Amino acid sequence: MALSLTAFAGMAMAQPAGPPVKVKVDLPKTISANVDFVAMVRVTLPEGWHAYGPNPARKKGDEDFNTLLSVALTPNKAVSRFMPGKASPAPVAGKNAGEYIWEGDVAFPVTMRVKPGTKSVKLKLNVTHQICDSNTCLPPKTEVIEVLVTVKPAQKASK
């Protein structure tokens, strides 16, 4: 069974209202010190909304329609490794050919490692998103998802 945490993101009162973006973090049942583990950060974009992703064929000087959809970690001394993976956007056909978008559910694998001697750690994942519909793009929004993780002690080498 994986641990899941969910947050709902809305726009600040001074900004135009937009539909909520759902963010969920799935962690493995057991996390051991000094061993890589993968957290899945799942972002659900509302129906009718999307985020522009990077065009893998983009050349220097080409126009870039990339909006924000990313995961970062607030610095933490107990974490010795943080490597966010990439979620591949889908190409758009027709008049918007050459653009790439994320729609619906987007999953970002994030590889982490906790230092030996750590018993528990509070991870603060910063999920930044900017969504667009067919008429407008909302300002970027960052959600901080806090996850308290209990760490299994590192295994001692057998002789």
Side-chain angles (χ1 to χ4, degrees):
M1 168 139 204
L3 172 66
S4 295
L5 299 167
T6 304
F8 290 93
M11 300 313 294
M13 290 173 43
Q15 298 173 342
V21 172
K22 184 178 175 184
V23 179
K24 179 180 174 182
V25 179
D26 293 330
L27 294 170
K29 182 178 178 185
T30 303
I31 295 173
S32 299
N34 209 33
V35 176
D36 285 356
F37 67 93
V38 176
M40 290 301 292
V41 177
R42 301 182 189 281
V43 179
T44 302
L45 304 175
E47 189 172 335
W49 292 80
H50 59 272
Y52 290 97
N55 179 343
R58 181 176 177 263
K59 297 179 181 87
K60 188 175 181 175
D62 287 352
E63 191 170 2
D64 188 5
F65 297 104
N66 194 17
T67 55
L68 295 170
L69 192 55
S70 64
V71 180
L73 178 72
T74 299
N76 189 313
K77 292 179 181 179
V79 178
S80 62
R81 180 179 215 182
F82 179 81
M83 293 178 41
K86 295 182 179 178
S88 298
V92 177
K95 71 174 188 162
N96 294 328
E99 296 176 14
Y100 285 71
I101 62 171
W102 288 291
E103 292 181 298
D105 296 321
V106 183
F108 289 90
V110 180
T111 302
M112 290 185 263
R113 182 183 298 175
V114 178
K115 291 181 180 177
T118 303
K119 294 180 181 176
S120 67
V121 61
K122 184 187 289 186
L123 302 173
K124 290 184 180 182
L125 296 169
N126 303 296
V127 180
T128 301
H129 54 81
Q130 180 179 16
I131 59 173
C132 306
D133 66 8
S134 59
N135 298 313
T136 189
C137 290
L138 299 175
K141 175 83 174 162
T142 298
E143 299 300 320
V144 179
I145 310 298
E146 293 188 6
V147 183
L148 182 61
V149 175
T150 302
V151 181
K152 182 178 168 185
Q155 297 281 335
K156 293 184 179 177
S158 57
K159 296 183 179 187

